[in-house]
């Protein structure tokens, strides 16, 4: 039979272009908004690739990544949205000084927000947060220091973490990152839904 639809409408084009933005999913405890007050004093712990040169903002070795994660741009956007806050990078496999810095410095802030990711790169095997990251989050959640986890990529890696009151989930794309930050700042609603059974503790 001949195709039923022979052209893409302008409305369909708009919907297609908005997939990353409208796909952001938020899960919160009861009576809690996905967004944070813009005038709060927050400590953002921003995961970066192990190959990232934190001081120069460049990736030393790029293994089949698609150029979606830009820590300098994320940091700039976060400070525009939350000007009283601090953004501190840490590696996917954080070293001792990074963990100690996050643990000690974050006590002077209203809330701690972790921004994490996983991506299916070459030769990495099963996707997972490293045990060091999980241990850091576990240690801080003993006193409920972390209010929010913003995660990009496979959400199943969050199932091993302790309870967090706010989750914002997006895909590994620059558009999704920007949209998730807008949701966190209350500039855009979280319209996405999970289409699979994942347990967010």
């Amino acid at each position: 039979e001949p195709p039923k639809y022979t052209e893409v409408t302008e409305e369909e084009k708009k919907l297609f272009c908005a997939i990353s933005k409208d796909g952001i999913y938020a899960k919160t405890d009861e009576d809690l908004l996905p967004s944070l007050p813009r005038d709060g004093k927050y400590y953002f712990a921003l995961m970066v690739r192990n190959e990232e040169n934190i001081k120069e903002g460049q990736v030393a070795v790029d293994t089949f990544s698609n150029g979606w994660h830009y820590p300098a741009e994320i940091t700039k956007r976060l400070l525009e949205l939350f000007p009283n806050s601090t953004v501190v990078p840490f590696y996917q496999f954080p070293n001792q000084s990074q963990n100690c810095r996050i643990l000690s410095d974050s006590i002077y802030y209203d809330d701690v927000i972790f921004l994490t990711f996983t991506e299916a790169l070459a030769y990495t095997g099963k996707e997972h947060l490293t045990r060091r990251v999980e241990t850091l989050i576990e240690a801080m959640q003993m006193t409920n220091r972390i209010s929010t986890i913003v995660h990009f990529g496979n959400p199943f890696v969050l199932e091993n973490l302790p309870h967090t009151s706010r989750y914002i989930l997006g895909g590994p794309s620059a558009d999704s990152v920007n949209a998730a930050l807008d949701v966190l700042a209350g500039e855009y609603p979280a319209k996405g839904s999970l289409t699979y059974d994942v347990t967010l503790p």
Side-chain angles (χ1 to χ4, degrees):
E1 295 182 8
K4 189 173 182 180
Y5 302 101
T6 57
E7 63 180 28
V8 179
T9 66
E10 289 302 315
E11 179 63 22
E12 288 169 334
K13 290 178 183 178
K14 290 179 181 178
L15 291 172
F16 176 79
C17 291
I19 286 176
S20 294
K21 189 172 186 178
D22 290 341
I24 301 299
Y25 171 77
K27 177 183 180 294
T28 67
D29 285 353
E30 191 175 355
D31 298 327
L32 193 66
L33 294 173
S35 60
L36 296 169
R38 298 280 293 275
D39 59 352
K41 185 180 180 183
Y42 306 116
Y43 189 91
F44 291 96
L46 173 62
M47 178 185 283
V48 300
R49 296 183 178 112
N50 268 39
E51 298 88 358
E52 189 88 21
N53 185 328
I54 290 178
K55 293 182 180 178
E56 297 180 13
Q58 298 177 345
V59 177
V61 179
D62 200 351
T63 312
F64 293 4
S65 72
N66 62 1
W68 67 273
H69 190 270
Y70 301 101
E73 293 180 14
I74 296 171
T75 298
K76 180 181 177 183
R77 182 63 176 148
L78 283 171
L79 294 179
E80 289 172 353
L81 294 170
F82 304 99
N84 299 324
S85 300
T86 296
V87 182
V88 176
F90 69 98
Y91 287 130
Q92 292 168 293
F93 193 87
N95 56 40
Q96 182 180 5
S97 62
Q98 288 175 343
N99 277 3
C100 287
R101 180 182 180 185
I102 291 172
L103 282 168
S104 59
D105 291 356
S106 65
I107 64 173
Y108 301 105
Y109 293 80
D110 300 332
D111 274 322
V112 177
I113 296 92
F114 269 77
L115 294 97
T116 60
F117 69 88
T118 57
E119 54 187 351
L121 303 184
Y123 316 117
T124 58
K126 183 179 179 181
E127 287 184 90
H128 212 290
L129 295 178
T130 62
R131 188 66 187 119
R132 282 196 181 181
V133 171
E134 291 181 345
T135 300
L136 174 62
I137 291 173
E138 288 169 358
M140 298 182 74
Q141 280 304 73
M142 288 181 181
T143 53
N144 294 315
R145 291 292 302 137
I146 303 169
S147 73
T148 308
I149 293 180
V150 181
H151 181 77
F152 305 101
N154 186 348
F156 287 95
V157 304
L158 304 175
E159 290 189 325
N160 291 336
L161 299 179
H163 173 74
T164 302
S165 56
R166 180 187 292 105
Y167 294 92
I168 296 176
L169 306 180
S173 75
D175 288 342
S176 188
V177 170
N178 291 330
L181 299 186
D182 286 341
V183 169
L184 187 63
E187 294 196 343
Y188 199 77
K191 298 181 179 181
S193 60
L194 293 181
T195 57
Y196 36 77
D197 187 17
V198 55
T199 303
L200 297 175

